[in-house]
Amino acid sequence: MESLTQGEWHAPGFDRSDADRGNPEIALKECRKVIKLNKLDVEGYDYMGEIYSSRGLTEQAETAFENV
């Protein structure tokens, strides 16, 4: 267990590396998949809102954050 937890961030949840590497479309696709499976997934909507906001898409960000 120790070897599994020694790296960087390791908590379950979204892998934010796609957006960090400049691939927000891949990250949005993953958010949409999660939300399709669970319409009440707060973390999915929150992350989606962050991505939209960072891209200047305020209407979409607002809608995502309203779902949070």
Side-chain angles (χ1 to χ4, degrees):
M1 183 58 112
E2 187 175 324
S3 65
L4 295 174
T5 59
Q6 285 181 352
E8 289 186 36
W9 184 75
H10 63 274
F14 280 92
D15 178 0
R16 295 175 179 253
S17 61
D18 288 321
D20 293 342
R21 285 189 296 240
N23 297 318
E25 288 302 320
I26 294 171
L28 283 172
K29 184 177 174 183
E30 294 303 313
C31 287
R32 288 185 194 109
K33 282 183 190 178
V34 168
I35 291 168
K36 186 175 181 179
L37 292 172
N38 178 7
K39 300 241 185 259
L40 301 176
D41 191 290
V42 174
E43 188 179 357
Y45 284 114
D46 186 52
Y47 187 32
M48 183 181 285
E50 289 177 27
I51 296 167
Y52 282 138
S53 181
S54 73
R55 300 182 75 199
L57 301 170
T58 53
E59 268 187 47
Q60 292 93 329
E62 184 179 327
T63 301
F65 288 134
E66 283 175 352
N67 286 303
V68 173

